[in-house]
Amino acid sequence: MKKAAKKRAAPKTGAASGGLLSSYDTGGYWCELQGHSHHALAASAELARRLDSFSISELKKRSNAATREFMTLGVTFTVYSNRDQVDRILPFDVIPRVIPAAEWERLERGVVQRVAAMNAFLGDIYGAQKAIKDGVVPADLVFGNANYRKEMQDLPVPHGTYIHVCGTDIVRGKDGRFRVLEDNGRTPSGVSYVVENRHLMQRAFPDLVQDLPIRPVSNYGQKLAEALSQIAPAGVSDPQIVLLSPGSFNSAYFEHIFLAREMGVPLVEGRDLVVEADKVFMKTVGGMAPVHVIYRRLNDDFLDPEVFRPDSMLGVAGLMRAYRKGNIALANAVGTGVADDKAIYAYLPRLIRYYLGEEAIIDNVETHICREPEGLKFTLDRMDELVVKPVGESGGYGVVIGPRVSKRELAEARDKLTANPSNFISQPMIELSVSPTLCGRTIEPRHVDLRPFAVTGQSTWVLPGGLTRVALRKGSLIVNSSQGGGSKDTWVLG
Amino acid sequence: MARLLARFADCVFWTARYVERSISLARVLDVNQAYSQDAKGNRNWQSILTFYADEERFAELYKQLSADAVIAFYTTDPRNLASIRSCLRQARENARTIRPLISTEMWSQLNALHRKIKPLKASSVTSKTLSNFATLVKEGCQTHVGITMETFYRDEAYHFYMLGQQLERADQTTRLLDVKFAQLRAGATEMGSATDVSQWNALLRAAAGFQAYRRRHPVTAMSPQSVAHFLLLNPMFPRSLLCAVNGANDALNALRREAGLTTGARAQKRLRAFQSALMDLDIDEIMARGMDEAMDWVQRELNEIGDLVTKEFFGRS
């Protein structure tokens, strides 16, 4: 007993005399907590004060408990190796990232604007094609795009919404400015982590969360279900919504489960659905039941073997017939991949101006299109300074970070680029902002990005905050989960 | 009212069946262990292989019959799809598919149980540690059932859960009797001997029915007739054949009446006919005719009902 008392009496490092964050060094990057200063920014001051009273051991202990809880709950993504299925959790960092209300409101408007422009663009290219005729976008970028679906031509969609769920990847550079890095307008994932991370923080860190004006995120399922109801075929008052998943081997299967659960709708696979007389039904214990709206987490290619890949075992034969007849609504619509393509991305500021008559609220990262001679020359001249990205890949695959690779790797990348320039874009290297992160037994800066989620039916709603992905390896700029990234709870405060 | 997806009903049904199978297997192994400390140890383990008709599969995987080999085969061996580890894996996989349907509590407990069993090696469970392992499995499965009763929303999915659980239980109880009577016929023990009584005792314990049996038959000596009657036809003992069949019938009725399903008519008809036939059974007659013949009939009926459920509700054949 005496010993314990003595141990307790030893002063815990307090806020004033070197607390948890006292030896934290931003490394010269923009820090989400401190900016370029050495103390917390106004919006984060209270969080920093509370964090400072934690010991590393306590933080570590709670972090471990949180990890265990994620495993028990099965908040996992699935990785396959040697035909064995391994469930991994997306590593979770316990130090939240804060977005001040004023900054968030601008981001929110910027995201809404972008989604509006992309939807207008999709409506146009699958309709009158004015932007192409007016020379805003080169025709071959649209029609030559692997994600362009001629089946969508002249097919009206409810409220002109093609992209019902959009995940916009936003980064902050050394100058503290937000820029859009990428749009995900097909089947963006990650929103389940936003909600689960928050729930976990509330359970594991009641003392951090308590009484702070954190904007809630747990109504995402409700908002999504509302938007999906709004796009139901005409005349259907109580639509049957389902979520279409490729199945349990898909890496995002947990998210599919999560979304179906949050909305209270069946999580179906292709084999559960049938099309009869151009209408979609699901096989229930009581026979066939009509389906009106499908939130699909299956790529276009696999959706309907009659129209797209004939070898698809995951889709539903006849789905496109039902779609074209207006008997079923699909979210996201078919063919949205044209708008989130890395090549079209470069044109988005111009498309915002063209369709909305506005300037982009959030800038793009400066982008060079290698299919254009000047873009190619610019890129080849500065390969050691630029990040070169293949336009067709996702998940961070094939990205070459000029300043970080060896001469040999650079030469290989140059060969690939010259062999097929139209497959690449390049961007200056953004020194992503950092956020204090628990690494072993210290708090270190780690690079982060942000993926807010926008849900659009009749209008657009943005989930406050979004998924903050964090590159857990020291110095790494790659935040993708498939490349060893983790995530953080993201607080919009005030 | 959203109708239950046929594939989900299938998964709920099988989640329940696999959990029931796991706990039944854990009971059988545990009890067998307790009563296999005599010279006939290996023969007792052999009888379990007979009981589950696994002799061939076992011989493919193991060179020699020993207590530890049979234990490994039925507890941790991933190659045996009927091992406890495999059953719990399949229960968990089915539960994973229906996660949007079941409570978070049901899921996370089953997931955690599977995560406890999964890393065990073949050598992890031996005759020395079997009892601890069986306790872990029994407690885990019972906790699962308890959480299910406490949290599972009582719609069609719940009734399919009950249907699966009760049909599996009926099957497991009859297998238990079957093997005991096979031993009797083989003259492995003399009826009425100390070993014989202790084996009837073991049988009751394997079905978690010892205390219940004693409440029904205080002080009397244990006779094959009274134990068989209790395990087959006592309507109040939750693991008796009749009680399980009544439970399955209730679940089917609920599906047809409360949930208003028009499918499943043939399964219901067959189950009702089976239920009345059971209630007309005379235990002395069964004993006279031969228990194995009676149990064959029971298992054929149960299989047929299971097949009809699969065809009519799940659209599988």
Side-chain angles (χ1 to χ4, degrees), chain A residues 285-297:
Chain A
V285 290
M288 298 297 174
V291 172
H292 307 106
V293 181
I294 300 179
Y295 178 35
R296 49 94 172 218
R297 296 293 298 254

Side-chain angles (χ1 to χ4, degrees), chain A residues 20-204:
Chain A
L20 188 75
L21 295 166
S22 63
S23 57
Y24 173 71
D25 178 358
T26 62
Y29 299 102
W30 176 273
C31 173
E32 294 297 332
L33 188 87
Q34 301 184 340
H36 280 309
S37 74
H38 295 288
H39 51 83
L41 300 170
S44 307
E46 179 58 19
L47 170 66
R49 197 188 60 75
R50 292 182 189 190
L51 270 174
D52 251 343
S53 68
F54 274 85
S55 67
I56 275 283
S57 308
E58 178 64 17
L59 205 63
K60 188 84 197 156
K61 202 171 87 192
R62 297 223 209 156
S63 168
N64 291 344
T67 301
R68 275 198 305 277
E69 190 173 340
F70 264 16
M71 281 312 290
T72 299
L73 282 170
V75 182
T76 54
F77 66 99
T78 309
V79 185
Y80 281 83
S81 54
N82 297 330
R83 295 173 59 229
D84 241 359
Q85 165 192 318
V86 184
D87 286 343
R88 289 204 193 131
I89 64 163
L90 184 62
F92 172 68
D93 181 67
V94 293
I95 303 179
R97 180 244 192 107
V98 171
I99 303 175
E103 276 189 329
W104 172 250
E105 267 134 36
R106 206 172 68 83
L107 284 177
E108 190 181 29
R109 280 188 293 118
V111 166
V112 171
Q113 180 192 49
R114 242 179 136 81
V115 172
M118 285 196 290
N119 277 322
F121 172 65
L122 287 162
D124 184 24
I125 62 161
Y126 292 124
Q129 301 173 342
K130 286 198 323 231
I132 296 168
K133 286 169 192 152
D134 289 348
V136 185
V137 181
D140 65 313
L141 259 192
V142 173
F143 303 121
N145 190 308
N147 294 303
Y148 169 77
R149 305 284 175 218
K150 59 179 190 311
E151 294 79 7
M152 290 302 291
Q153 191 61 49
D154 300 322
L155 179 63
V157 293
H159 317 297
T161 302
Y162 289 81
I163 300 179
H164 306 89
V165 179
C166 188
T168 309
D169 289 348
I170 297 175
V171 297
R172 197 187 317 236
K174 216 167 185 168
D175 56 4
R177 288 182 53 209
F178 283 112
R179 290 180 182 83
V180 175
L181 187 62
E182 193 174 298
D183 301 291
N184 297 279
R186 277 170 274 181
T187 51
S189 350
V191 74
S192 55
Y193 294 110
V194 177
V195 179
E196 292 287 355
N197 284 352
R198 175 66 52 79
H199 290 167
L200 190 64
M201 279 304 285
Q202 285 167 334
R203 285 193 298 270

